Amino acid sequence: MGFPAEEPPLNAENCTQASVREGIKAAALTCVITAVPVLTAARTIPWAKANLNHTGQALIISGASIAAYFITADKTILKAAKKNAQYDRRA
């Protein structure tokens, strides 16, 4: 009677673990992607060399990584909630 091609709904613990896992992946990728241009700019562009100290560079990189983590974790939780809602409706 069920739908064999569909996965069963995720419980709250698995949903949270999945969102943390995806968030960490996104944050790590964003950290690498933003670190390269920020560090390159801080050493080559005169304005950035004069105005961006190590703290400023770290804040730019970590701010982007934190944003990526929370956006991805939120999207993962919403996707799981939507999947669970659709699963409940069909049952």
Side-chain angles (χ1 to χ4, degrees), residues 4 6-7 14 24 28 37-39 48 52 58-60 64 67-68 71 73 77 79 85-86 89:
E6 294 182 10
E7 297 178 15
N14 288 341
I24 289 174
V38 167
L39 295 175
L52 288 179
L59 285 172
I60 293 170
I71 290 169
I77 290 171
K79 187 171 108 177
Q86 288 175 352
R89 236 183 288 156

Side-chain angles (χ1 to χ4, degrees), residues 24-86:
I24 289 174
K25 286 180 189 177
L29 182 64
T30 305
C31 179
V32 171
I33 290 174
T34 58
V36 172
V38 167
L39 295 175
T40 303
R43 281 153 182 76
T44 58
I45 299 173
W47 179 90
K49 193 184 293 186
N51 294 310
L52 288 179
N53 60 10
H54 296 294
T55 304
Q57 295 169 24
L59 285 172
I60 293 170
I61 295 167
S62 64
S65 298
I66 290 167
Y69 173 83
F70 282 111
I71 290 169
T72 305
D74 187 49
K75 283 185 177 184
T76 306
I77 290 171
L78 291 175
K79 187 171 108 177
K82 184 176 179 182
K83 185 173 84 172
N84 289 345
Q86 288 175 352

